[in-house]
């Protein structure tokens, strides 16, 4: 370092201090760079490990997977065919899939953004096939197509953010209305015939994630009883809305008293035949909210705080509750006791939805681009439980034993090689 006159003491300090600071800064910068490199290396290692894990798991055939081109974000059944369903994809495509063959019998195109939700309203008698498929999209609109021809129909504009949930109301045999919930925290009721907005309902502070019609209010015999819709959002609250049966008025029920039973976002709502409400939440729980107890939770299915739950349904015939979510597993719980009875493993990415079909057939869809099918019949679940237990205990299946017959062990091969050498 260059020498300076001592007489100018302050400048000496200044001259000496600056190199010191530079040195400290260089050292700190060096340490910071080293730490960042280590963190980046750690993240890269974790990413590689996760990619390797998923690649290995993707080869499994559990649930007889049907592979599709893009991530599946929603699923609904075909009201007139128990062996088919409709899915919404992240690529902006909706499609009808035949489960027996895995064939996409109909493909609905148009949106360039992901589709989040689907609904197939019925008009006329219960045996009348739906005529129109509706889909909510990230492009802030609702798309529609002719079910049979896949021809795009009316497009509904009104939300200012993603459309995340859809419901339909058939007020009479010929009149259908849509209800949509969006990330703009708005619920909109639409006249399907004109495409116009009838009502815009606001009350949530954050985006709507799911909507459900209270089965105690719809369908109904009396036209004087209003229809009640429940809404869940990215905040912990559930709100209720009263809609006049003739669609002449709509308003929130007890705006100052939302249902508060979760700690954070609520992804899904599902009413069982007891008219109680099941919820799936980002707080890692699914809960049964009792109508008789004023919507207090009387059953809590815990999945762990970091394992958020995406969807929930109830198989009344078998007495099961099914939950799916972030950790790729399909969990089957006893409804009466809340005990985890079995876990189906097969998906290798987050499971986004589940659907119950006749015959206790369970369908699950996920980010891994697959549709998988599982049985909720008691005998099939017990068989699956035993197979999983045998796998944990290292029990070899009969077919594996049969496959090994005729093969030499390593020791036998070595002995045979020695005998051949002796010859």
């Amino acid at each position: 370092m260059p020498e300076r006159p001592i007489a100018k003491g302050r400048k000496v300090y200044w001259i000496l201090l600056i190199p010191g600071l530079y040195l400290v800064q260089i050292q700190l910068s060096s340490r910071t760079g080293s730490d960042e490199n280590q963190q980046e290396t750690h993240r890269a290692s974790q990413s590689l490990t996760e990619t390797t894990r998923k690649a290995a798991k993707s080869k499994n055939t559990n649930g007889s997977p049907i592979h599709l081109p893009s991530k599946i974000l929603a699923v609904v059944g075909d009201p007139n065919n128990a062996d088919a369903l409709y899915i919404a994809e992240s690529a902006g495509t909706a499609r009808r899939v035949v489960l027996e063959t895995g064939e996409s019998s109909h493909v609905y195109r148009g949106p360039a953004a992901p589709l989040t939700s689907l609904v197939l309203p019925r008009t006329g008698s219960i045996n009348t096939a739906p005529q129109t498929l509706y889909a909510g999209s990230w492009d802030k609109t609702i798309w529609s197509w002719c079910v049979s021809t896949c021809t795009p129909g009316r497009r509904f504009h009104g939300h200012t953010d993603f459309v995340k949930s859809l419901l339909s109301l058939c007020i009479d045999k010929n009149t259908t209305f849509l209800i949509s919930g969006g990330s703009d925290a708005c619920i909109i009721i639409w006249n399907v015939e004109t495409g116009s907005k009838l009502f815009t309902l606001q009350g949530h502070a954050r985006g709507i994630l799911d909507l459900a019609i209270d089965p105690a209010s719809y369908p109904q015999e009396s036209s004087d009883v209003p229809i009640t819709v429940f809404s869940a959002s990215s905040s912990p609250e559930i709100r209720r809305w009263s809609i006049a049966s003739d669609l002449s008025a709509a308003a929130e029920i007890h705006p100052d008293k939302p249902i508060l039973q979760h700690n954070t976002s609520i992804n899904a709502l599902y009413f069982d035949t007891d008219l109680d409400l099941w919820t799936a939440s980002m707080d890692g729980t699914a809960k049964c909210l009792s109508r008789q107890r004023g919507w207090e939770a009387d059953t809590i299915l815990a999945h762990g705080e970091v394992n958020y739950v995406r969807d929930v349904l109830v198989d009344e015939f078998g007495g099961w509750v099914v939950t799916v979510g972030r950790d790729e597993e399909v969990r089957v719980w006893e409804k009466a006791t809340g005990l985890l009875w079995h876990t189906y493993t097969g998906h290798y990415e987050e499971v986004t939805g589940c659907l119950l079909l006749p015959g206790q057939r369970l369908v699950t869809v996920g980010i891994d681009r697959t549709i998988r099918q599982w049985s909720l019949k008691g005998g099939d679940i017990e068989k699956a439980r035993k197979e999983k237990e045998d796998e944990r205990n290292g029990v070899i299946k009969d077919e594996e034993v049969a496959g090994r017959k005729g093969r030499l062990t390593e020791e036998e091969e070595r002995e045979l090689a020695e005998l051949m050498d002796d010859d």
Side-chain angles (χ1 to χ4, degrees), residues 389-409:
E389 183 66 23
D390 288 346
E391 184 179 349
R392 278 197 296 263
N393 295 331
V395 177
I396 301 173
K397 296 181 181 179
D398 291 340
E399 55 267 29
E400 292 181 9
V401 172
R404 294 184 183 183
K405 287 183 179 179
R407 299 182 191 174
L408 297 177
T409 65

Side-chain angles (χ1 to χ4, degrees), residues 91-165:
T93 302
R95 65 182 70 225
R96 180 180 184 271
V97 180
V98 180
L99 292 174
E100 184 177 358
T101 63
E103 170 195 4
S104 295
S105 63
H106 296 71
V107 180
Y108 305 89
R109 306 182 189 278
L115 300 181
T116 63
S117 47
L118 299 169
V119 68
L120 282 153
R122 282 186 185 275
T123 56
S125 70
I126 192 171
N127 296 319
T128 303
Q131 302 298 310
T132 308
L133 172 67
Y134 297 90
S137 173
W138 276 23
D139 65 11
K140 310 173 188 177
T141 70
I142 301 169
W143 290 72
S144 68
W145 297 267
C146 173
V147 169
S148 58
T149 67
C150 303
T151 304
R154 184 185 302 279
R155 194 171 169 195
F156 299 78
H157 298 262
H159 283 283
T160 59
D161 209 335
F162 304 158
V163 180
K164 299 300 292 289
S165 183

Side-chain angles (χ1 to χ4, degrees), residues 144-409:
S144 68
W145 297 267
C146 173
V147 169
S148 58
T149 67
C150 303
T151 304
R154 184 185 302 279
R155 194 171 169 195
F156 299 78
H157 298 262
H159 283 283
T160 59
D161 209 335
F162 304 158
V163 180
K164 299 300 292 289
S165 183
L166 287 177
L167 291 177
S168 65
L169 288 174
C170 295
I171 303 304
D172 56 46
K173 291 184 178 181
N174 300 309
T175 308
T176 301
F177 296 89
L178 284 180
I179 305 177
S180 60
S183 294
D184 54 6
C186 291
I187 298 170
I188 299 178
I189 303 175
W190 306 84
N191 183 319
V192 168
E193 297 301 321
T194 64
S196 62
K197 293 191 290 184
L198 297 178
F199 301 98
T200 298
L201 305 175
Q202 294 178 299
H204 284 282
R206 303 182 67 182
I208 310 297
L209 296 180
D210 200 20
L211 300 168
I213 298 175
D214 184 350
S217 69
Y218 176 87
Q220 55 190 249
E221 296 181 0
S222 172
S223 60
D224 298 329
V225 179
I227 300 164
T228 301
V229 173
F230 284 58
S231 58
S233 73
S234 296
S235 59
E237 62 193 26
I238 297 172
R239 294 185 177 272
R240 292 164 290 169
W241 312 85
S242 177
I243 304 172
S245 57
D246 61 357
L247 274 297
S248 61
E252 185 172 1
I253 302 172
H254 302 306
D256 58 334
K257 296 180 180 179
I259 300 170
L260 298 171
Q261 293 294 315
H262 284 282
N263 299 325
T264 186
S265 307
I266 301 167
N267 293 315
L269 303 172
Y270 184 98
F271 280 98
D272 63 20
T273 56
D274 295 325
L275 303 182
D276 291 329
L277 178 63
W278 289 83
T279 57
S281 174
M282 295 282 279
D283 64 13
T285 67
K287 297 183 179 183
C288 178
L289 309 187
S290 169
R291 184 183 294 264
Q292 290 186 346
R293 295 173 56 182
W295 307 112
E296 289 185 3
D298 66 3
T299 301
I300 301 175
L301 309 180
H303 297 65
E305 292 183 1
V306 297
N307 179 28
Y308 59 73
V309 189
R310 281 295 302 267
D311 204 1
V312 60
L313 62 76
V314 178
D315 169 25
E316 302 287 359
F317 186 84
W320 307 117
V321 177
V322 176
T323 58
V324 298
R326 182 180 187 177
D327 73 347
E328 308 166 4
E329 305 285 39
V330 179
R331 289 180 169 82
V332 181
W333 311 74
E334 275 192 329
K335 182 184 178 186
T337 65
L339 294 176
L340 178 60
W341 195 249
H342 181 60
T343 301
Y344 282 116
T345 300
H347 287 280
Y348 54 94
E349 294 271 11
E350 176 182 328
V351 188
T352 54
C354 51
L355 174 69
L356 185 63
L357 297 177
Q360 291 187 274
R361 292 179 298 158
L362 174 68
V363 172
T364 56
V365 298
I367 301 298
D368 62 2
R369 302 175 173 85
T370 68
I371 300 171
R372 296 177 189 255
Q373 303 173 65
W374 320 90
S375 175
L376 294 179
K377 294 180 179 179
D380 293 335
I381 290 180
E382 289 308 309
K383 180 181 177 182
R385 291 184 74 196
K386 186 178 186 306
E387 289 177 350
K388 179 163 281 192
E389 183 66 23
D390 288 346
E391 184 179 349
R392 278 197 296 263
N393 295 331
V395 177
I396 301 173
K397 296 181 181 179
D398 291 340
E399 55 267 29
E400 292 181 9
V401 172
R404 294 184 183 183
K405 287 183 179 179
R407 299 182 191 174
L408 297 177
T409 65

Side-chain angles (χ1 to χ4, degrees), residues 75 195 203:
V75 58

